[in-house]
Amino acid sequence: MSYQPGRQFLNIPGPTNIPERVLRAIAAPVLDHRGPEFAQLATEVLARIKPIFKTTQPVLIFPASGTGAWESALVNTLSPGDTVLGFDSGQFALLWTQMAKKLGLQVQTIATDWRRAPDPVAIEAALAEDREKKIKAVLLVHNETANGCMMRVAEIRQAIDRVGHPALLLVDTISSLGSADFRMDEWGVDVSIGGSQKGLMLPAGLAFCAVSPKAVAASKHAKLPRAFWDWEPLVANTGGNFPYTPACNLFFGLREALNLIDAEGLENVFARHARHAEATRRAIRGWGLEIVCAEPKDYSRSITAAFMPEGYSADGFRKLVLERFNMPLGGGLGRLSDKAFRIGHLGDTNDLMLGGALFGVEMGLGAAKIPHKAGGVQEALNYLADQSGGAARLAAE
Ligand SMILES: *Cc1c(COP(=O)(O)O)cnc(C)c1O
């Protein structure tokens, strides 16, 4: 491969760009993971991660990618043959239900056309019909990274409460944590699942399960086999006492990432993501392309997917953009494969980085001779210019 000068624009919806300060924090000499210095670091990080989930409950950290936290949430709270309510509403929601089946759970599925988040009314109806209370858990994906639709967790919680259903509420926040508002305690979430390589601006390698008292109580009776993913030693762990070697250097990185989030202010981080999501949608409409998420109320804050015009390959387009402009874009996943491309706008990014990414897409559309209108970038730039300094206004919305 020849040298490609300049920076690569990494505009996939995770893994995301890692701030230099975080990279430098990770590049620290290895610590004794049983020594006092790591215990102090772990204690600090375990406490400071809680506000990111808006919880006061324990947050358990595994050395794994987010998929591990999916498994951990299931095996600690459920027993063989239990029924869970899952969603065929996008590739990640679907993959989680497939994992549940592999683990010996029965899955009842609510499907969408993959262009909207599941309707809280449909969830309420499914739970109301379950008079025997067979459904033990509901598996939400807060932000469906495959199509850019967000589930309205607070409304779903209200729906569950209206029918008085006791199911646990498990929520994958992997691509929304640190990018879009998520309120574990206020929304009555029982397990919040996170990963390090998206909004938290770290490499992959830390998986999070924030656990409610109800989830911990369920774990005392749950009978799915578990060993590595067992919560028990971690719930008791308030400091550095992990039952295996933790990913110590990623803890240095997490501490620095939390410093950056604190310095910007969590609500300002959310407002920045909201602005970038809106600017991206304006660009896509400006090009005359169609946004995959069909419902404005479901729009994601961290990723936007766009359809290619009929008869044009999204993967061919992405290949051209990568080769010509050194910019990876997200591909369509599952049934959106080759039909859509995804722009990630989460993590350590700013107006000019987003502008550069949109510039690359517009040039790519031209270079690939894909029917489109010129000027999408200009729509985005007009919006960003007009809103600069308006972060507080958006955060208040
Ligand atoms: C990325 C992602 C996953 C998978 O996480 P890994 O860290 O790749 O294992 C699961 N769910 C969602 C919503 C994601 O965005």
Side-chain angles (χ1 to χ4, degrees):
M1 272 276 241
S2 63
Y3 175 65
Q4 299 201 282
R7 263 196 116 123
Q8 181 176 71
F9 277 67
L10 183 69
N11 285 92
I12 57 175
T16 65
N17 297 294
I18 304 174
E20 303 225 349
R21 275 174 59 176
V22 172
L23 285 172
R24 278 196 291 272
I26 293 170
V30 170
L31 282 180
D32 171 11
H33 64 299
R34 303 280 175 220
E37 208 183 327
F38 180 70
Q40 201 179 22
L41 171 64
T43 306
E44 178 186 341
V45 160
L46 287 168
R48 288 181 58 201
I49 190 73
K50 292 182 186 189
I52 307 295
F53 287 96
K54 298 197 174 167
T55 187
T56 58
Q57 314 304 326
V59 180
L60 318 181
I61 305 184
F62 293 93
S65 83
T67 303
W70 271 355
E71 181 162 344
S72 185
L74 297 176
V75 297
N76 279 278
T77 56
L78 298 161
S79 298
D82 276 357
T83 300
V84 298
L85 182 62
F87 300 90
D88 179 0
S89 53
Q91 183 70 0
F92 288 98
L94 185 65
L95 285 174
W96 200 11
T97 66
Q98 288 170 356
M99 173 189 272
K101 286 180 193 160
K102 284 185 196 165
L103 291 170
L105 298 165
Q106 303 289 323
V107 183
Q108 185 179 327
T109 306
I110 293 178
T112 72
D113 61 359
W114 284 36
R115 296 197 60 189
R116 64 204 77 235
D119 188 348
V121 173
I123 298 173
E124 182 168 348
L127 293 174
E129 264 172 42
D130 177 34
R131 288 188 193 82
E132 293 162 45
K133 312 287 185 238
K134 278 195 179 148
I135 296 169
K136 300 299 179 209
V138 180
L139 315 188
L140 302 186
V141 174
H142 184 210
N143 185 67
E144 175 53 74
T145 320
N147 58 18
C149 299
M150 282 184 81
M151 296 194 190
R152 299 187 300 284
V153 181
E155 279 179 48
I156 294 168
R157 170 82 261 167
Q158 287 164 7
I160 297 173
D161 290 347
R162 265 197 300 277
V163 294
H165 199 288
L168 292 164
L169 185 57
L170 315 185
V171 186
D172 168 344
T173 73
I174 295 176
S175 65
S176 55
L177 193 68
S179 309
D181 195 13
F182 177 77
R183 307 178 183 188
M184 172 162 180
D185 290 358
E186 189 183 318
W187 295 348
V189 174
D190 292 301
V191 185
S192 309
I193 289 154
S196 50
Q197 79 276 23
K198 298 188 182 178
L200 292 182
M201 309 175 285
L202 292 159
L206 297 177
F208 305 93
C209 281
V211 295
S212 77
K214 186 173 159 188
V216 173
S219 74
K220 310 278 187 220
H221 317 286
K223 297 211 166 47
L224 278 176
R226 57 193 197 252
F228 180 77
W229 302 116
D230 194 5
W231 288 349
E232 199 180 358
L234 295 179
V235 171
N237 174 19
T238 50
N241 204 11
F242 289 82
Y244 38 67
T245 311
C248 297
N249 282 50
L250 291 183
F251 278 64
F252 283 119
L254 178 55
R255 177 166 63 187
E256 190 61 14
L258 293 170
N259 288 342
L260 300 181
I261 291 172
D262 285 353
E264 185 176 355
L266 187 58
E267 303 305 317
N268 294 329
V269 172
F270 297 156
R272 170 166 56 82
H273 282 79
R275 287 177 69 239
H276 287 175
E278 176 61 24
T280 303
R281 291 190 295 265
R282 287 181 186 224
I284 291 169
R285 288 191 203 108
W287 295 319
L289 301 183
E290 196 174 350
I291 296 166
V292 172
C293 182
E295 290 283 347
K297 65 182 183 315
D298 295 343
Y299 282 153
S300 167
R301 301 296 180 90
S302 52
I303 162 263
T304 304
F307 282 113
M308 271 285 118
E310 277 292 319
Y312 291 85
S313 159
D315 290 346
F317 167 68
R318 291 194 307 117
K319 185 165 178 285
L320 178 144
V321 170
L322 179 63
E323 286 171 2
R324 285 279 296 270
F325 308 119
N326 194 18
M327 178 167 77
L329 292 166
L333 298 177
R335 68 164 93 147
L336 296 173
S337 175
D338 205 27
K339 293 193 171 70
F341 68 94
R342 297 176 298 147
I343 302 172
H345 35 77
L346 74 165
D348 188 44
T349 188
N350 63 28
D351 289 6
L352 295 190
M353 290 165 80
L354 180 71
L358 297 175
F359 203 101
V361 172
E362 187 160 329
M363 284 197 294
L365 290 169
K369 303 207 168 18
I370 289 167
H372 72 286
K373 292 187 284 185
V377 167
Q378 191 62 52
E379 297 286 337
L381 302 193
N382 292 347
Y383 172 77
L384 289 172
D386 186 43
Q387 297 280 316
S388 58
R393 192 167 58 234
L394 250 167
E397 277 173 10

